[in-house]
Every structure is written in C-alpha cells, then in structure tokens.
C-alpha cells in the first residue's frame, strides 16, 4: 500500500524577508542529510526520487516545498524512520545539533567541472548578484504591501467588539479541549501552509486537512482577530499537552493562518484570500468574524476607502510577485551554467549512497518494530 504525502513550506518569501521555520520541522530526527552544491546540481530531484521510493514502500513522507521555485522541493522527511534530507544552501541556514552523529553534509559540488565553471565566473557572479537584488526588492515591496494592509486592518480593529472576541475564543477552547490535560509534552511544529512564489500565492490546505474530520473555516476581514484567535488556540493546545501543527502566514510570519490538532481531528484556518475555501464535507463549519464581532455597516461606511486601499494592496502584491518571477528567471539561467558543468553519474552515485544509508535505517526500524 502506498503511503501518504504531506505538503507544506518550511521557508517563505515574506514581508519580513526570507523567513525560516526549518528548525521546528527537523527537530527529533535521528539522521539528517544536508545537501550542499550550487543551483542545478540535482538536489531537488535527488530528494524527490528518494521520497517517492519510500512512498511506494508504504511510508508516509513530508515534502518541504520551495517558495522560490514551484517545481522544486527544499526537503523530504520520512517520519517513521526519523530521517530527512534538506537543501542546506542559502537562504536555508540549517544549524546542526550533533554534526556527524545526526547531521551529515553531502557535497554535490564533487560532481561539477570547476574548470568549466571558472570559464563562466563573471556571468555567475553577475547573475548571483542580480538574483539577490531581485529578492531584496521583492521583500521590500511585500513590506510596502504590509504597511498598506496594516492601514486596512485599522478600519476593522476600530469597529471590533473585543469582549465578544474573547468569548468566542474561550468557547472554542472549551469545545476543543473541555477538561482535557494529557500527561505528555506537546509536539509543536511551526510551518507555512502556503507561500508567495514566482507563480503567485500557493497553498496546501486541501492536502493538509484531507484526513481531518472537523474543519473550521474562519471568514472575516483584515484585522478581525483571526490570527489572534489562532494563537490563543495553539497556546491552549500546548498547555494541555496536545500536539499542534501551527501554520504561519506566508505574507506576514508574525501572524497565523491555521492550527491543526490531528489527535483531536480538528483543523481551524483563515479561509480568506489568497487561501479561500468553502465547506465541502460533512462536519465543515464556518466562523464568520465579521458577522460575529464587527460593528454592522462597517463595510458600507468605509466602502470608498476599502476599495482604494484594497486596490493599492493588490497592486503591490502583484509587483512583489513580479520580482520573485524575475529572480526565478535569473536562477534558471544560472542553473543552465551549472548543469552544463555537471557529471550526473556522480550525483547518481551519491544518491545511491544516501539510499543505502536510509535503507539501513529502515532495516533497523523493522528489526526493532
């Protein structure tokens, strides 16, 4: 029987720069292979191949997707074996906890022809600088969009009933947990359910919630308390020893978009654009923050201002995405140089070595099962 895939992002292109949540998702692994090497050296392909091999063997796997390239992944984890493989090149800074004992560095640069690369040195340096500049411009533009979004939020914050917001949150905490207090420490994982990518906003809400029995779709406006409520629910889970997947906003990582409590079969998420979904299964429920908490008529009173500010916000987001797309085009050009200098038979040999090491862990897991 084929295993199941869980898709998410562990790093994102945000209004606060590149934001990494890798440490949270790599905690607890017994073995971690960290891949080094330039663009086009086959890191993503290697990870996909090994991940899919274990998927076919019936193991569940996690794909950590790349926010800068829609067709690439930045990591793969096989939870049952407590093993992972990740791209350890910039901007992914992986801090080793026990080098050699847990983390092992794999240098795919062994497979390239340095003489060929030296011939393209000036072009490599130029493209690398242009890619960096494009990302920095994208982050700065996302930050401008965040400032606009903050002004948009102020409309609804000023019209919000905070007492009712507290009552709603407390009611949900009571419904979710009751008097529950588990005799264990919570396993809390911080992730992104989606990301700003060169092709626009992408999310994995359907995949992440496909096995959840009770889904809460939070509707509302900017500033209507969605993230604050999710933070309080995540904190309540941790206090009670309940495991939680805490999904941050791919635009502003200081905000939350979703909390999943798999032990309880519950997911609650911000179901507004750019990850807008509607109930489609038995058990799905809408929580409308505008209807419950915001002064009636607020949309109508501020209609002209909302139209203007939402237009400015969308324009800035489109502009920022164009810089991510430009970085991707430049990266593709850089990849071509490295691909032309690679001996992929060496990469295949490295892949076989990693595969063997993971197979040994799999054999050991079966013996101990």
């Amino acid at each position: 029987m084929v295993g199941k895939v869980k898709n998410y992002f562990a790093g994102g292109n945000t209004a606060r720069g590149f934001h990494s949540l890798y440490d949270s998702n790599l905690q607890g692994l017994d073995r971690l292979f960290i891949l080094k090497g330039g663009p086009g050296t086959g890191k993503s392909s290697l990870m996909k191949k090994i991940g899919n091999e274990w998927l076919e063997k019936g193991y569940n796997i996690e794909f950590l997707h790349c926010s800068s390239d829609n067709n690439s992944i930045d990591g793969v984890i096989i939870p049952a074996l407590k093993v992972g493989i990740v791209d350890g090149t910039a901007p992914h800074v992986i801090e080793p906890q026990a080098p050699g004992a847990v983390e092992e560095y794999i240098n795919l640069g062994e497979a390239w022809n340095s003489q060929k690369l030296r011939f393209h040195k000036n072009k490599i340096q130029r493209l690398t600088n242009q890619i960096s500049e494009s990302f920095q411009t994208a982050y700065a533009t996302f930050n401008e969009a965040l400032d606009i979004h903050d002004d948009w939020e102020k409309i609804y914050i000023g019209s919000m009933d905070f007492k009712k917001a507290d009552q709603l949150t407390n009611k949900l905490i009571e419904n979710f947990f009751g008097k529950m207090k588990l005799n264990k420490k919570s396993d809390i994982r911080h992730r992104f359910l989606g990301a700003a990518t060169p092709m626009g906003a992408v999310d994995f809400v359907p995949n992440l919630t496909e096995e959840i029995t009770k889904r809460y779709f939070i509707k509302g406006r900017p500033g209507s308390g969605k993230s604050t409520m999710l933070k309080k629910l995540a904190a309540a889970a941790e206090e009670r020893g309940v495991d939680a997947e805490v999904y941050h906003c791919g635009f502003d990582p200081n905000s939350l978009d979703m909390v999943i409590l798999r032990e309880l079969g519950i997911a609650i998420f911000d179901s507004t654009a750019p990850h807008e979904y509607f109930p489609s299964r038995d058990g799905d429920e809408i929580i409308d923050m505008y209807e419950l908490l915001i002064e009636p008529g607020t949309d109508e009173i501020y209609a002209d201002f909302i139209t203007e500010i939402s237009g400015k916000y969308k324009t800035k987001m489109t502009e920022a995405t164009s810089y991510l797309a430009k970085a991707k085009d430049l990266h593709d050009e850089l990849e071509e140089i490295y691909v032309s200098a690679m001996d992929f038979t060496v990469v295949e040999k490295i892949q076989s070595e990693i595969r063997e090491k993971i197979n040994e862990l799999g054999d050991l897991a079966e013996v101990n099962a």
Side-chain angles (χ1 to χ4, degrees):
M1 189 170 121
V2 178
K4 293 186 179 294
V5 181
K6 191 182 291 179
N7 298 294
Y8 57 88
F9 294 89
N13 298 307
T14 80
R16 302 180 192 279
F18 182 82
H19 193 84
S20 173
L21 295 172
Y22 280 85
D23 287 350
S24 179
N25 293 286
L26 302 179
Q27 64 180 340
L29 296 181
D30 289 338
R31 290 296 299 276
L32 178 63
F33 299 95
I34 302 174
L35 306 181
K36 294 290 189 179
T41 52
K43 298 185 293 293
S44 177
S45 297
L46 183 155
M47 291 186 285
K48 283 180 181 177
K49 283 177 184 174
I50 291 178
N52 285 321
E53 284 169 10
W54 283 91
L55 188 66
E56 291 296 322
K57 292 178 183 180
Y59 283 76
N60 294 339
I61 66 164
E62 297 176 5
F63 278 141
L64 285 60
H65 287 256
C66 176
S67 56
S68 300
D69 183 344
N70 296 77
N71 297 316
S72 292
I73 61 169
D74 283 339
V76 60
I77 296 172
I78 311 168
L81 303 183
K82 293 188 175 182
V83 65
I85 313 171
V86 290
D87 181 344
T89 57
H92 324 103
V93 179
I94 313 295
E95 294 294 344
Q97 303 302 312
V102 174
E103 296 89 2
E104 180 177 341
Y105 287 92
I106 308 290
N107 181 19
L108 296 182
E110 292 176 11
W112 64 39
N113 183 324
S114 297
Q115 192 172 347
K116 277 188 179 179
L117 292 176
R118 278 195 292 272
F119 180 77
H120 296 286
K121 184 185 79 168
N122 291 338
K123 188 175 183 182
I124 289 171
Q125 290 175 334
R126 175 175 57 79
L127 287 170
T128 301
N129 289 337
Q130 288 177 327
I131 290 167
S132 178
E133 287 169 8
S134 295
F135 276 120
Q136 293 310 314
T137 306
Y139 300 150
T141 310
F142 278 130
N143 193 257
E144 289 175 28
L146 181 59
D147 287 341
I148 294 169
H149 197 270
D150 287 346
D151 288 339
W152 195 354
E153 286 187 345
K154 287 172 186 174
I155 298 168
Y156 297 101
I157 292 171
S159 303
M160 185 168 162
D161 187 327
F162 288 95
K163 185 177 178 182
K164 281 186 180 177
D166 289 339
Q167 289 171 347
L168 173 61
T169 302
N170 291 335
K171 182 183 175 185
L172 286 172
I173 290 172
E174 176 64 27
N175 288 348
F176 288 5
F177 308 108
K179 299 186 184 303
M180 184 184 300
K181 180 72 174 175
L182 303 183
N183 189 27
K184 67 177 178 66
K185 181 178 169 57
S186 302
D187 185 339
I188 308 294
R189 303 286 168 151
H190 292 271
R191 299 167 174 163
F192 293 104
L193 63 82
T197 79
M199 294 179 68
V202 170
D203 73 78
F204 293 113
V205 170
N207 168 261
L208 292 167
T209 64
E210 65 183 351
E211 295 181 295
I212 299 297
T213 52
K214 182 69 178 176
R215 302 189 300 176
Y216 294 86
F217 296 64
I218 310 174
K219 300 294 183 179
R221 310 291 189 270
S224 57
K226 301 184 294 292
S227 174
T228 301
M229 184 168 75
L230 289 170
K231 286 177 181 177
K232 289 180 178 178
L233 289 167
E238 189 167 9
E239 285 170 14
R240 289 159 175 77
V242 176
D243 297 343
E245 295 165 26
V246 180
Y247 291 88
H248 293 246
C249 172
F251 172 54
D252 178 5
N254 292 343
S255 292
L256 299 187
D257 275 345
M258 177 164 70
V259 174
I260 296 181
L261 311 168
R262 289 194 186 271
E263 290 166 299
L264 308 183
I266 292 172
I268 179 165
F269 61 98
D270 180 339
S271 185
T272 58
H275 32 79
E276 185 174 24
Y277 293 92
F278 295 92
S280 59
R281 307 194 314 233
D282 289 343
D284 287 351
E285 185 176 326
I286 286 177
I287 299 173
D288 191 327
M289 305 290 271
Y290 181 80
E291 185 181 299
L292 295 170
L293 308 178
I294 305 298
E295 184 71 29
T298 298
D299 279 349
E300 290 74 17
I301 292 168
Y302 295 97
D304 291 342
F305 181 67
I306 291 168
T307 299
E308 180 188 350
I309 207 162
S310 65
K312 286 181 180 177
Y313 173 72
K314 287 173 186 172
T315 298
K316 277 296 170 190
M317 291 297 284
T318 301
E319 184 185 345
T321 301
S322 74
Y323 290 116
L324 292 181
K326 182 181 178 183
K328 171 66 169 61
D329 290 342
L330 292 165
H331 193 270
D332 288 347
E333 201 176 333
L334 186 60
E335 274 194 346
E336 287 178 13
I337 298 171
Y338 278 87
V339 168
S340 69
M342 288 291 291
D343 180 349
F344 284 100
T345 59
V346 177
V347 176
E348 287 170 12
K349 181 172 178 289
I350 292 170
Q351 182 177 304
S352 295
E353 289 170 359
I354 296 174
R355 183 186 291 116
E356 270 308 306
K357 290 175 181 178
I358 297 177
N359 284 341
E360 288 172 12
L361 293 173
D363 293 342
L364 191 62
E366 286 182 15
V367 168
N368 293 332

